[in-house]
Amino acid sequence: MDDLAQFKQTFFAECEELLGDMEGHLMALQSGEGDNNTLHAVFRAIHSIKGGAGAFGFDRLVNFAHIFETVLDLMRDGRLEPTPDSVLLVLRCADILSDLVRAAQNDTELPAEHENEGRKALIDLAATVGVNADPNAADAELAALDAQLAAGGPDVLMNDAPAADAPAAPAAAAAAAPAAPAKAPLLKYLVKFTPRDALYQRANEPLILIRELKELGGFLARANADNIPPLDQIHPEGAYIKWEFEIETDKGEQAIRDVFEFVLDDCELEITCLNPPAAESAEAKQAAAEAAAAAPKLEIKPAAAPSAAASTAAAVPPKPAAAAKPDAAGAAGGEAKHGESKTVRSIRVDLDRVDKLVNMVGELVITHAMIAQQTEHLHADQHPELANGLAELSHHIRDLQESVMAMRAQPVKSVFARLPRLVRELAMMTNKKIRLDMSGENTEIDKTVIEQLGDPLTHMIRNSCDHGIESPEERIAVGKPPEGVIHVSADQRGGRIVIEISDDGRGINREKVMKKAIEKKLIAPDAVLSNEEIDNLIFLPGFSTADTVSNISGRGVGMDVVRQNIQSLGGRVHIQSRPGQGSSFILTLPLTLAVLDGMVLRVGEQSYILPLANIVESLRPEPDQINIVANQSELLRIRGEYVPLVYLHRIFKVPNGIDDPTKALVIIVELEDGSKMGLVVDEIVGQQQVVIKSLEENFDPIRGVGAATILGNGRVSLILDVAGIKYIAEHEVQQRPTQQAARLPAPAMQASA
């Protein structure tokens, strides 16, 4: 990969982060939770994207971002009110900006009219406060300024009314300056501004800075063109003109510095007060000292490779506010709690390198298991150094594995950030009022899992908006508020991540689901199904309760995709529905797809791995604890609770398994829905950390088996999926033939190993 391609890759990675943060800030503004700091954060994100895009020549992206940036600047300066309508427009334009970024990343060309509507709407919005946000107009104004410089010499008065005589400019500027309040003296400043080449290469324009300076008060600009080379030696993006500005303002020096906030690294700047007050009062000095102490501190994250966006984003402290509040991205100015500064140091690493490191750690775990097994016949007292060394090695390998997993872990916030826009669009399409609440966005999960969560969450949100939430009229008629609520949460429970999508809608209409399933010949007309089985029908391929096909639903592919994707990750989907009250979809996912802690079990001549996260306890039951139900199922009575027994050798058809539970071992496992089950095995071999090897990538999916691993003796062992084992026990092994024919047929997936 050449340097340019590497820089582009870094730029687009930063764009993804900036766009995600920007959407979160905009949603906060729309909900009324944002403040001026939120607007600053959005502006900084757009400015950074624009700067990087300019460096790589993405002209359409720069052009649109420029207009977008102008409107946001008007909002943060208070000249344009962030009303619900204007924020909604900004949200739509953020989508367009995201489309342009992805088109640049994929090297594709969007239709020419793709951003025209948003562009025109932004220009019209800026025009309501008398500002022309069109970059073409800015070019014309810059050309006029160049003409004035060529015709009238180096001094140009930048007031709205043209001056007849340039030498009179300071007096005219002073006369035009607004009357200063008594406590804010009118001071004159000399500003020397020397741009570097990088300023132009990052799509910054001195004209925009001049406009902002002009708004501070009386203003005079002088251009020094002595360094302009001959025409044949001029570089299009070279910086040859130096500027001097005389400004009379009552807003103070900091207001001038704020104008140059985003170009400080790309210029030389010197500000001198030409008429400082004769003396400052003690109160003024104290106030200045307090303001300096309260100014936010700057933190810069060093990146692995420099990029235009990263360089542009490194900024000076933001404009002072009356009360510095932490925004959605973190504490204001990077201040840690209790007044302690916290410096975050990070580098960007290619994910393929991290994956290779994960695989190497996995192989190290397997090698350690092999060595431990080969030396287990040696007595520890005879070889104490070897025993201690193996124990230390085991400890270090576990620490290494946890550190590597932490490198891959990312908060689910990156996936959740896409949902507000989706809900907003679906609410508009369905003419419904829907509010999205989210919690647990900072719950961390393996990046591989996160990458495959997008589609399932999208389909479930679409299902809740289209089928779950009622129209405002329906909700009012049944005594509900007109606005429906969808809540998405993430939480870590043991060794798994649980994501729940719930709504307060109408719930699943089981009668309609049964009718549709029979019509589509997905089940037999005389089938007798439990509520849980009826709910699970919505996951069958081709199933839909929609009466008409729309661009939201009706084709019967959405929920089928949900189950397939979640099962491919080693996860499960569970439904809880309350007619008239709403539904909850609970996704249970592994924390990582690389390594897990498991218990090695022996059944006949076979060994299996049972994840420790599922195990409650193990015991050898007494005969009076075993109860037989209907001459078929066996229940274990333990502490007043009855737990069904499942024999693993029957599930997987393993010969020579122990049939008498009082002579075998029973391992009590707990499923995600809270139910329990007793697995009957021959023996517990021991606890071991194992490396997960996907069956889907290397073989075929097997119900009851989540993955495979390699033991210390070199043999392959299957990692059990307790939810799949429960399904086999209920539908394939322990059901009577007459009942099994009437029930939902099991998928065509072999359960044997």
Side-chain angles (χ1 to χ4, degrees):
M1 181 184 298
D2 58 22
D3 289 344
L4 181 60
Q6 182 179 355
F7 293 156
K8 281 186 178 181
Q9 187 178 34
T10 303
F11 165 67
F12 288 123
E14 292 171 350
C15 282
E16 184 178 354
E17 296 175 5
L18 291 169
L19 289 170
D21 291 341
M22 182 175 69
E23 184 155 352
H25 292 312
L26 291 176
M27 293 305 299
L29 282 175
Q30 190 182 45
S31 63
E33 299 173 0
D35 56 14
N36 207 42
N37 285 333
T38 311
L39 283 169
H40 284 311
V42 176
F43 180 85
R44 286 193 293 269
I46 296 174
H47 189 84
S48 297
I49 292 173
K50 171 189 166 185
F56 295 117
F58 300 134
D59 295 335
R60 286 180 65 180
L61 180 53
V62 171
N63 188 288
F64 188 78
H66 174 85
I67 305 172
F68 204 165
E69 179 185 54
T70 302
V71 171
L72 262 297
D73 197 31
L74 293 173
M75 286 187 176
R76 68 177 188 152
D77 285 345
R79 298 173 61 188
L80 189 62
E81 185 70 21
T83 62
D85 288 341
S86 64
V87 174
L88 181 61
L89 169 62
V90 169
L91 276 164
R92 291 175 179 170
C93 291
D95 295 342
I96 296 174
L97 186 71
S98 179
D99 293 340
L100 292 171
V101 169
R102 290 186 176 87
Q105 182 176 10
N106 299 327
D107 198 21
T108 58
E109 193 72 19
L110 292 173
E113 65 276 6
H114 184 79
E115 69 266 31
N116 286 352
E117 184 178 350
R119 173 191 173 96
K120 182 178 184 304
L122 288 172
I123 293 175
D124 292 345
L125 184 60
T128 59
V129 293
V131 174
N132 192 337
D134 191 345
N136 296 328
D139 293 341
E141 189 173 341
L142 185 60
L145 175 62
D146 290 340
Q148 282 184 301
L149 286 172
D155 291 356
V156 180
L157 182 64
M158 296 294 292
N159 285 326
D160 292 334
D165 193 358
K183 293 185 179 180
L186 188 66
L187 301 178
K188 178 184 285 188
Y189 296 90
L190 175 63
V191 180
K192 295 182 179 180
F193 170 58
T194 305
R196 300 191 184 106
D197 291 353
L199 184 140
Y200 297 103
Q201 293 168 1
R202 294 186 177 122
N204 292 294
E205 297 176 3
L207 181 60
I208 296 177
L209 304 176
I210 290 173
R211 285 186 191 144
E212 293 192 40
L213 291 172
K214 178 183 171 185
E215 294 174 1
L216 297 179
F219 181 76
L220 174 70
R222 286 191 292 270
N224 184 335
D226 294 344
N227 293 331
I228 297 180
L231 185 61
D232 59 348
Q233 299 178 19
I234 290 180
H235 189 276
E237 294 181 342
Y240 304 112
I241 298 178
K242 300 179 181 179
W243 298 84
E244 287 189 359
F245 308 120
E246 289 185 12
I247 304 168
E248 284 189 298
T249 180
D250 58 357
K251 294 181 173 59
E253 180 180 333
Q254 185 60 44
I256 299 175
R257 290 192 179 277
D258 288 341
V259 171
F260 298 92
E261 180 177 356
F262 292 105
V263 297
L264 275 184
D265 290 339
D266 301 326
C267 72
E268 296 177 9
L269 183 67
E270 181 182 337
I271 303 176
T272 306
C273 184
L274 300 179
N275 60 336
E280 283 188 295
S281 66
E283 292 82 358
K285 291 182 179 179
Q286 178 66 21
E290 292 176 355
K297 306 301 186 296
L298 175 66
E299 291 180 7
I300 302 176
K301 296 182 179 180
S307 73
S311 301
T312 309
V316 298
K319 299 181 182 179
K325 299 179 181 179
D327 59 23
E335 288 281 352
K337 293 182 179 180
H338 310 299
E340 297 179 359
S341 61
K342 180 183 178 182
T343 302
V344 179
R345 300 181 62 83
S346 62
I347 61 172
R348 291 187 181 275
V349 180
D350 193 325
L351 185 61
D352 290 340
R353 296 187 180 184
V354 180
D355 289 339
K356 185 176 181 180
L357 182 59
V358 171
N359 291 334
M360 291 173 65
V361 171
E363 295 302 322
L364 189 60
V365 170
I366 294 173
T367 303
H368 172 263
M370 289 182 176
I371 295 174
Q373 184 162 335
Q374 293 297 323
T375 58
E376 64 182 3
H377 65 281
L378 300 176
H379 295 289
D381 55 349
Q382 295 178 355
H383 304 277
E385 293 183 358
L386 178 60
N388 292 336
L390 285 174
E392 282 291 316
L393 180 60
S394 176
H395 176 73
H396 293 322
I397 289 176
R398 179 173 292 275
D399 288 346
L400 178 61
Q401 178 258 322
E402 291 177 355
S403 298
V404 173
M405 291 302 105
M407 291 170 58
R408 288 182 56 90
Q410 287 190 344
V412 294
K413 178 182 178 181
S414 59
V415 181
F416 282 15
R418 311 171 193 170
L419 303 182
R421 179 180 68 175
L422 178 63
V423 171
R424 185 180 71 248
E425 293 175 349
L426 291 172
M428 295 174 61
M429 293 171 64
T430 57
N431 295 319
K432 296 177 180 178
K433 295 181 179 180
I434 306 174
R435 185 180 82 246
L436 176 67
D437 292 337
M438 296 188 294
S439 61
E441 298 100 317
N442 293 323
T443 302
E444 292 190 338
I445 192 171
D446 190 281
K447 180 174 174 61
T448 306
V449 178
I450 285 181
E451 290 174 346
Q452 300 183 51
L453 266 181
D455 282 348
L457 285 179
T458 298
H459 286 299
M460 283 186 288
I461 291 292
R462 293 168 72 95
N463 184 76
S464 292
C465 290
D466 195 29
H467 298 292
I469 301 295
E470 311 95 330
S471 66
E473 296 78 15
E474 290 179 70
R475 294 180 64 86
I476 293 173
V478 296
K480 294 182 179 180
E483 182 182 59
V485 179
I486 298 175
H487 186 261
V488 181
S489 65
D491 186 26
Q492 180 177 343
R493 301 177 190 172
R496 304 184 77 82
I497 292 292
V498 178
I499 297 177
E500 183 172 352
I501 302 94
S502 60
D503 63 68
D504 64 348
R506 59 173 64 95
I508 295 178
N509 187 334
R510 296 189 174 104
E511 182 179 347
K512 185 175 183 179
V513 169
M514 282 287 292
K515 182 179 178 181
K516 284 283 185 178
I518 294 172
E519 287 178 2
K520 294 179 177 290
K521 299 182 179 179
L522 297 173
I523 59 173
D526 58 346
V528 179
L529 306 181
S530 65
N531 287 340
E532 180 183 358
E533 290 172 330
I534 295 174
D535 294 343
N536 284 324
L537 287 173
I538 68 174
F539 292 114
L540 292 179
F543 184 84
S544 175
T545 57
D547 296 322
T548 58
V549 175
S550 68
N551 57 353
I552 301 178
S553 62
R555 300 189 182 277
V557 296
M559 301 307 289
D560 176 37
V561 170
V562 170
R563 170 160 282 184
Q564 288 182 0
N565 287 14
I566 297 303
Q567 287 182 342
S568 69
L569 292 171
R572 295 179 290 278
V573 187
H574 177 64
I575 304 176
Q576 294 176 350
S577 183
R578 302 161 300 281
Q581 299 180 34
S583 301
S584 295
F585 293 85
I586 303 170
L587 311 182
T588 307
L589 299 160
L591 267 176
T592 175
L593 301 181
V595 179
L596 64 78
D597 289 316
M599 191 71 75
V600 183
L601 314 175
R602 184 180 64 81
V603 179
E605 299 299 324
Q606 299 293 326
S607 295
Y608 298 94
I609 306 296
L610 181 62
L612 282 182
N614 293 116
I615 299 176
V616 177
E617 61 179 310
S618 61
L619 71 156
R620 177 165 288 163
E622 298 295 332
D624 60 353
Q625 291 181 276
I626 307 300
N627 296 269
I628 299 177
V629 180
N631 296 323
Q632 181 176 345
S633 301
E634 292 178 273
L635 299 178
L636 171 65
R637 179 171 50 81
I638 176 171
R639 291 187 289 276
E641 183 179 6
Y642 288 90
V643 178
L645 294 180
V646 176
Y647 292 81
L648 279 186
H649 72 276
R650 298 178 187 173
I651 294 289
F652 295 122
K653 300 179 175 60
V654 178
N656 303 322
I658 299 177
D659 274 315
D660 186 353
T662 62
K663 296 179 181 179
L665 284 174
V666 176
I667 300 178
I668 308 297
V669 296
E670 185 173 20
L671 286 82
E672 302 305 330
D673 59 2
S675 62
K676 293 181 180 179
M677 177 174 60
L679 299 181
V680 181
V681 301
D682 294 4
E683 181 186 8
I684 294 178
V685 178
Q687 180 180 334
Q688 184 175 324
Q689 191 178 58
V690 297
V691 179
I692 300 173
K693 302 292 185 181
S694 171
L695 281 179
E696 293 202 0
E697 293 180 3
N698 303 290
F699 186 60
D700 284 319
I702 301 174
R703 187 179 292 282
V705 176
T709 189
I710 301 174
L711 297 178
N713 57 11
R715 297 184 61 185
V716 174
S717 180
L718 301 179
I719 300 174
L720 302 178
D721 173 24
V722 293
I725 291 173
K726 179 183 178 182
Y727 184 94
I728 296 172
E730 291 180 346
H731 297 84
E732 299 180 10
V733 176
Q734 293 175 296
Q735 289 291 338
R736 293 180 179 179
T738 55
Q739 291 178 326
Q740 188 174 1
R743 285 186 174 268
L744 177 67
M749 190 183 301
Q750 297 299 320
S752 63

